[in-house]
Structure formats: C-alpha cells, structure tokens
Amino acid sequence: MAARQQRSAAASDGSAEAKRTDLRANEKKCSWASYMTNSPTVIVMIGLPARGKTYMSKKLTRYLNWIGVPTKVFNLGVYRREAVKSYKSYDFFRHDNEEAMEIRKQCALVALQDVTAYLNEEGGQIAVFDATNTTRERRQLILDVAKRNSYKVFFVESLCDDPDVIAENILDVKVSSPDYPERDRESVMEDFLKRIECYKVTYQPLDPDEHDKNLSFIQVINVGRRFLVNRVQDYIQSKIVYYLMNIHVHSHSIYLCRHGESHHNVEGRIGGDSELSDRGKQFAAALKGFVKEHRLSDLKVWTSQLRRTIQTAEELGIPYEQWKILNEIDAGVCEEMTYKMIEEKHPEEFAMRDQDKYLYRYPGGESYQDLVQRLEPVIMELERQGNVLVICHQAVMRCLLAYFLDKSADDLPYLKCPLHTVLKLTPVAYGCKVDMFDLKVEAVNTHRDRPLNKVPTNVVSPAFLRRNSFTPLSSQDQVKRPRLYSVGNPPQARMSQVPTLPSMQFSEASEGAELEQSQVSV
C-alpha cells in the first residue's frame, strides 16, 4: 500500500513521450459527445453490496466509451484485494474494526489518486468510482478531491429492498467473487448477508430534500422500477440519466445477422440497394428454419429500409419492423463501386480510409463514427426489448457488436461479420456471451483485413486531412446526396449523373471569401 502511495514525481523522457502519444491517440478517438463535457466528471456509485452497482458501472462505462467519451471504472474492491490478499469473513467490514476501517480508507485514497491521474494526465474524461460510498464522510472526501481538481461529480445510488433480487445477485455474481474461492453457495450467502448488515449500520442514503438537495444524482430504485433525478448539470449527465433509465435487467437474447448475399456482394461492390442473389435467397430460407428450430416464437425482427434486408426478412413469414437508421453506412460518391475502382479513381480517398477507418468519412457519405451516433437509438431499444433479431449490414453489425463486446474504436471497423452467419448475444453478469451459428449456405467473403502498413500522415495531402468525422457535413467538400435506390428514390428516379469527388484544394483566399459571403447572407 505504501509503495502505491509514494508515486514518483518525475518520469523518464521516454515514458513521458509515450504518455503524450497515448493522450493524442485518446483525443483522436473522442467523438462529438466528448466535446459536450467542459470539465472531467467523476461518477460516484452509492449503495449497499449486491445492489448492482458494478453491473451499472461496467455497462455505463461501455456505453460512454462506445459513443466516444473516454471512461474508466475504478473498482474499490480490486484495491482492497490488493491490500488484503486473503478475505476471511464479514468481520473485515464491521464499523468497529478500526484496523480494517483504516485499510479501507487508504484504499479509497489510492483509488482517488488513480482517478485524478486518469483524468489529469491520461486523457480520460469520465471516471466511475465503483464502491459502496455509503457514508456522508466518504462522499465528502470524494467531493473535496473533485473540488481541488475542478471535476464535476454525479452520484448514482442503487436502492433495493427486494430480497429476491438481492439473493439472485449474490448467487449470480458474488459466489464467483475472488473473496470466496472454493466455497459452497450456502456459506457464501450467509457470509455476504452478514456483510450487508455491517454496511447497514452506518449507511446514510442520499437525502434529496435536505442534506443532499444541491448534489447532482440519480437514485435507481429496485432495479429500475422507479427513478429520482436531482440537479442534472450538463449534457453528458443527461446522457447518463437517459442510459440508466433505459437499461433493464431481464433475461433475453439479441440475434444479429447480415442480409443474405446480394448481387453487389458477388460483384464486390459496396453500398447500393441491390437484391439478393440465389445464395442469398437460400440463406433467407435457412434463417426461417433457424428461427423455427430455436423456437423463437416471441421474436421481434428489425431490418433496414434497403431491399436486401427486407427480402431476407420476408422469407421468415413473421411481422418485422423497418428502421431507416439501420441502413448501411453511406459511401457517398463511392457507392456501388468496388474497392479496386475506388483505389483507381480516388487513390487519396482509398489511402485516407486505410489510415484511419473509424474516423474516415466518405465524400458526401458517412464515417463509422457517424454511424455509431446514428445507431444510438437502436442500442437504447435493444436494452429495453426482449428477444430481437436484427437483420442488418456489415458496418452496422460491427457497430452493434462493438457496443455489446466492448471493442475499441480502432478494432470496430475490422470486426469479422461474415454473411450467412447468426450471432446470438446473451447478456451475463458483467459482459455478454456470444454464440455463433453458421447456417451452411456458401457466400462471398466481404471482409477487408486491417492494412499492415498504414499510410503515414505526412504522405497524405493536408487538404484531404481536413475532412474527417470532426468536419461538419455542411462544409463545401461534404455535398450530401440521396442514396441510390434508397426508399423514396426508386430506380427510375436515379440521378442521371453520379456526382464526382469535389475538389479538395481550398486556398485561404477562397475560404475567406466564402466566409464573408455566408456572413452577408445570414
């Protein structure tokens, strides 16, 4: 413990440079949402043991990282187990055990030091302090640290008096805890219930009417049956509240698959709105058999508004919903082109996309980061629903998978989502179980591996570096056009001439003139 507290004041030049590099990398992957946080935020969990605090912490952290806000959990139990190598019994948590109380306080101080290091030095924007924090004294300690560092603080208190929910949580999570190696379920239950009683002696819940009325917090009552929200300070805190009010703890599975193979898949073309190939139709029939075999009678089916997903769903013979936001990533001027055509016609664009596939935005189209933003309502609905089958597209499926499997922005665009394969995602205690079903219908491979040698930044023209996910769609090089063959744009209404890539060369003079003209127009 002492070694953890004595942090070195000076770091070597090499480690400092590495930290700066990591910080730049973190900043690069921040999204529009991260710019809504004008100061770092500490989310402080509150509640008795077995109230789902760690479950909420992990899910919330996964969500915030997915939308592009760098977030990390600091679980105080991990620090305690590092300080006290072996857990003996609930006596450690008695309020009159002075030695143990001092150890627990020192663990909290060390964890708070790590929180400040993450937010001040490592590019973090939100830290989740996952502990019981059941006393006002402990919460004031956290508020003092936050005040010294100009952090915002948002409390999340989980209140639960349902004995069935508490018992289920203990058996689902605590039996496998490192605190109870090789113990039987009965003895774990007995010891943990006594541990809870130790905390109850000193527990001081948040008081929204008097003592804590000026704090920002949400109280989650009986796993989401009721909520109490107090003094939300900013946009990101409202996002946190919105998310916590949408996650439901219930048993369900989410099935993800791509549409059946399309004619464009066979030809190696991206985007567009082509129909299913013969093998794609075989997959649709096989998918119907899969649904029947697994007896998914209460299944909801969602598709995009593109023909290849609709044709796949039609074969199932059950109702389905079309979601426009499930449409494939818009490739802009590169729609219906092969990668070879893009490389030959727009070599700079091809190189830029390989340089950073997550942030790269097609001219007149979208980036993966744009797609994540577009898919956020789908995630909220998936958290609320029962069993759902989502028939979607490669880029869309990658974004959804990245959320459930907690994948980074760097890995997201390279997740493998083969055609004619169904993924079953089943939420478990602190993660997600994945089962893969190959429906044994042959299909082309549309996956492009991560390039081994990325194009260095100094090789790409600075003019082209102007356009990425941070550039507003309204800028001159982001001319938006309807998707070919999209809903409301039938084939006969297809544009007579596909837009060509706008010139990216802008002089300072022309940009200044455009700005002056826009100001006059306004």
Side-chain angles (χ1 to χ4, degrees):
M1 178 69 66
R4 289 294 309 276
Q5 289 180 304
Q6 294 174 352
R7 298 181 186 276
S8 174
S12 66
D13 292 341
S15 62
E17 179 60 32
K19 185 171 289 186
R20 285 193 293 271
T21 302
D22 290 342
L23 179 57
R24 286 193 294 270
N26 286 335
E27 289 173 344
K28 182 181 181 185
K29 296 304 179 188
C30 292
S31 76
W32 58 273
S34 67
Y35 293 103
M36 299 298 178
T37 56
N38 54 6
S39 63
T41 297
V42 181
I43 299 173
V44 182
M45 306 303 296
I46 302 173
L48 295 170
R51 264 56 178 184
K53 297 184 302 299
T54 298
Y55 172 81
M56 286 191 287
S57 297
K58 288 180 176 291
K59 285 198 71 119
L60 185 57
T61 299
R62 190 178 73 192
Y63 163 71
L64 291 169
N65 279 316
W66 185 71
I67 65 172
V69 183
T71 307
K72 185 176 180 180
V73 176
F74 296 83
N75 180 281
L76 198 55
V78 173
Y79 290 83
R80 170 180 57 80
R81 293 183 195 103
E82 184 179 326
V84 182
K85 300 302 182 184
S86 63
Y87 170 79
K88 293 182 174 60
S89 75
Y90 69 92
D91 284 330
F92 183 84
F93 296 97
R94 291 173 60 94
H95 70 284
D96 54 358
N97 186 336
E98 294 183 4
E99 181 182 359
M101 288 292 287
E102 181 61 27
I103 292 173
R104 290 162 61 190
K105 182 178 179 180
Q106 291 304 315
C107 288
L109 291 172
V110 172
L112 286 171
Q113 286 179 3
D114 287 348
V115 166
T116 57
Y118 174 68
L119 296 177
N120 293 347
E121 303 168 19
E122 299 172 23
Q125 290 189 339
I126 296 181
V128 182
F129 193 71
D130 180 19
T132 55
N133 298 313
T134 48
T135 65
R136 288 172 181 165
E137 180 185 3
R138 172 61 59 81
R139 298 197 288 268
Q140 189 58 52
L141 173 66
I142 299 168
L143 287 168
D144 291 343
V145 171
K147 185 176 181 180
R148 287 197 299 270
N149 291 275
S150 300
Y151 301 153
K152 291 182 179 179
V153 177
F154 188 75
F155 293 97
V156 177
E157 183 172 29
S158 180
L159 300 168
C160 182
D161 56 10
D162 187 330
D164 293 335
V165 172
I166 296 168
E168 184 180 359
N169 193 10
I170 293 173
L171 292 176
D172 285 350
V173 180
K174 305 305 178 182
V175 168
S176 58
S177 166
D179 287 342
Y180 300 105
E182 302 177 3
R183 289 206 198 179
D184 60 271
R185 296 165 70 91
E186 290 75 16
S187 64
V188 170
M189 177 69 78
E190 180 183 359
D191 183 86
F192 205 87
L193 288 173
K194 290 180 179 178
R195 184 195 295 195
I196 294 173
E197 292 302 316
C198 291
Y199 278 97
K200 282 184 178 180
V201 175
T202 56
Y203 185 22
Q204 297 169 295
L206 289 173
D207 178 9
D209 297 320
E210 291 297 332
H211 189 273
D212 301 308
K213 63 183 180 182
N214 294 321
L215 299 181
S216 299
F217 64 83
I218 179 174
Q219 289 179 319
V220 182
I221 303 167
N222 284 328
V223 290
R225 292 176 197 165
R226 290 175 55 214
F227 300 91
L228 191 155
V229 181
N230 193 70
R231 294 181 66 89
V232 172
Q233 297 180 73
D234 57 22
Y235 172 79
I236 205 67
Q237 289 184 12
S238 70
K239 297 282 287 184
I240 292 166
V241 168
Y242 176 52
Y243 180 74
L244 291 175
M245 293 178 72
N246 275 278
I247 58 173
H248 288 191
V249 182
H250 60 282
S251 177
H252 70 293
S253 293
I254 297 162
Y255 298 84
L256 300 179
C257 74
R258 293 172 63 187
H259 52 78
E261 180 188 75
S262 70
H263 293 299
H264 274 15
N265 291 146
V266 175
E267 297 166 4
R269 298 177 184 270
I270 63 174
D273 194 14
S274 67
E275 297 187 347
L276 296 182
S277 67
D278 289 339
R279 293 189 301 196
K281 294 174 183 176
Q282 291 175 33
F283 168 73
L287 185 61
K288 180 179 181 179
F290 174 85
V291 171
K292 287 185 176 180
E293 178 186 348
H294 288 255
R295 299 179 180 178
L296 305 177
S297 56
D298 59 342
L299 187 69
K300 290 188 176 181
V301 179
W302 298 349
T303 74
S304 72
Q305 290 188 348
L306 299 178
R307 289 187 291 184
R308 51 194 183 272
T309 63
I310 294 171
Q311 288 177 346
T312 305
E314 282 284 350
E315 185 66 28
L316 300 180
I318 57 178
Y320 61 90
E321 300 175 36
Q322 296 180 27
W323 290 55
K324 186 174 182 180
I325 56 177
L326 284 173
N327 283 4
E328 178 62 302
I329 189 171
D330 191 340
V333 298
C334 298
E335 284 273 319
E336 300 189 293
M337 297 174 68
T338 65
Y339 285 116
K340 184 173 179 59
M341 292 166 63
I342 297 171
E343 186 175 15
E344 292 173 352
K345 194 169 183 178
H346 308 303
E348 296 92 346
E349 296 297 320
F350 190 83
M352 283 172 60
R353 192 162 192 263
D354 278 350
Q355 183 186 356
D356 193 329
K357 194 174 179 181
Y358 182 77
L359 291 180
Y360 169 81
R361 178 184 284 152
Y362 284 105
E366 293 177 301
S367 67
Y368 269 94
Q369 190 180 60
D370 296 330
L371 189 54
V372 164
Q373 182 179 348
R374 165 154 62 93
L375 289 170
E376 189 177 353
V378 176
I379 290 298
M380 293 299 177
E381 281 301 310
L382 288 174
E383 288 287 0
R384 297 173 62 90
Q385 299 290 336
N387 295 331
V388 180
L389 167 62
V390 184
I391 303 173
C392 53
H393 307 268
Q394 181 167 249
V396 171
M397 189 167 169
R398 283 170 172 163
C399 291
L400 297 179
L401 267 181
Y403 167 77
F404 286 105
L405 303 185
D406 198 17
K407 297 296 183 180
S408 69
D410 281 329
D411 293 334
L412 182 154
Y414 298 101
L415 295 177
K416 290 188 177 180
C417 301
L419 287 164
H420 302 175
T421 300
V422 179
L423 296 184
K424 178 184 178 183
L425 308 178
T426 305
V428 292
Y430 296 146
C432 196
K433 177 187 175 186
V434 182
D435 295 302
M436 181 178 290
F437 300 90
D438 183 350
L439 299 198
K440 306 299 181 185
V441 178
E442 191 176 347
V444 295
N445 179 12
T446 61
H447 183 79
R448 265 187 95 231
D449 289 327
R450 190 193 303 263
L452 296 177
N453 299 311
K454 289 189 177 182
V455 179
T457 304
N458 57 6
V459 173
V460 181
S461 167
F464 282 93
L465 288 176
R466 290 179 69 252
R467 195 193 70 256
N468 56 30
S469 291
F470 302 127
T471 309
L473 282 170
S474 58
S475 61
Q476 181 171 333
D477 58 305
Q478 290 292 322
V479 178
K480 192 71 179 169
R481 62 168 179 74
R483 176 188 288 277
L484 301 183
Y485 297 136
S486 64
V487 173
N489 295 279
Q492 59 266 28
R494 182 175 178 178
M495 300 170 69
S496 58
Q497 183 176 1
V498 177
T500 56
L501 179 66
S503 172
M504 297 289 295
Q505 304 296 333
F506 298 99
S507 66
E508 292 182 6
S510 64
E511 286 187 349
E514 289 169 12
L515 178 61
E516 183 178 350
Q517 183 179 2
S518 66
Q519 290 173 340
V520 171
S521 300
V522 172

